[in-house]
Amino acid sequence: MGIRALLLTLAALLALAIGRATAAEVSDGAGRAVKLPDRIEKVFAAGGPSAILLYVLAPDLMTGWPRTPRDEEKPFIAAPFRDLPEVGMITGRGGSANLETVLRLKPDLILDFGSVKETFVSLANATQEQTGIPYLLIDGRFEA
């Protein structure tokens, strides 16, 4: 996914988030067709990089942090968001979110930002299939 495609996808997400767009099907960083819901009000960040991306672009959509921010990180996080709950992560070492946690939070979208290697594509497909929640995988490589 090139930078233009990434920006278009993110713009579509933001438009959906603020209610200015209707459901759309987008091609994510792995080339998967992902149908986005009509309205996105809650997003589950699959790991650390996606949590940072989500915090920068639309922090009010966050269901929580993959891990609780450290004390030295908290001054850099706006007050309403620094104390969001720890919800675990789907990706990365020691993925700590189980699907029951994800389902309990009822996100409209799962966002993953980083590698689009087959392992992560398989995880995205399996998670989406098991939860019924759209899972958007964005290629986080600089060259992409």
Side-chain angles (χ1 to χ4, degrees), residues 25 27 35 41 47 50 56 65 69 74 78 86 109 126 135 142 144:
E25 188 170 286
S27 178
K35 185 172 183 196
E41 296 179 358
S50 56
V56 169
W65 294 100
K74 288 185 177 184
E86 181 172 317
L109 178 71
Y135 192 120
F142 283 115

Side-chain angles (χ1 to χ4, degrees), residues 116-129:
V116 293
K117 291 180 180 177
E118 185 54 41
T119 301
F120 295 102
V121 173
S122 177
L123 178 62
N125 287 334
T127 302
Q128 183 171 304
E129 183 178 308

Side-chain angles (χ1 to χ4, degrees), residues 98-131:
N98 59 43
L99 296 184
E100 290 81 20
T101 300
V102 176
L103 289 168
R104 182 178 43 81
L105 292 167
K106 299 180 182 170
D108 303 302
L109 178 71
I110 298 170
L111 178 67
D112 195 355
F113 178 77
S115 176
V116 293
K117 291 180 180 177
E118 185 54 41
T119 301
F120 295 102
V121 173
S122 177
L123 178 62
N125 287 334
T127 302
Q128 183 171 304
E129 183 178 308
Q130 292 172 357
T131 64

Side-chain angles (χ1 to χ4, degrees), residues 14-139:
L14 290 175
L16 284 166
I18 59 175
R20 295 189 182 152
T22 57
E25 188 170 286
V26 297
S27 178
D28 72 2
R32 300 165 52 246
V34 179
K35 185 172 183 196
L36 301 177
D38 286 336
R39 187 155 179 84
I40 297 175
E41 296 179 358
K42 292 197 302 186
V43 178
F44 186 96
S50 56
I52 293 168
L53 179 67
L54 185 57
Y55 171 71
V56 169
L57 294 175
D60 54 314
L61 300 181
M62 297 178 73
T63 58
W65 294 100
R67 68 158 177 77
T68 302
R70 296 182 187 110
D71 288 339
E72 62 269 16
E73 296 167 335
K74 288 185 177 184
F76 301 100
I77 301 170
F81 310 107
R82 70 176 64 122
D83 293 321
L84 288 173
E86 181 172 317
V87 295
M89 65 181 78
I90 296 172
T91 61
R93 274 199 185 132
S96 54
N98 59 43
L99 296 184
E100 290 81 20
T101 300
V102 176
L103 289 168
R104 182 178 43 81
L105 292 167
K106 299 180 182 170
D108 303 302
L109 178 71
I110 298 170
L111 178 67
D112 195 355
F113 178 77
S115 176
V116 293
K117 291 180 180 177
E118 185 54 41
T119 301
F120 295 102
V121 173
S122 177
L123 178 62
N125 287 334
T127 302
Q128 183 171 304
E129 183 178 308
Q130 292 172 357
T131 64
I133 302 167
Y135 192 120
L136 191 63
L137 182 56
I138 298 175
D139 191 341

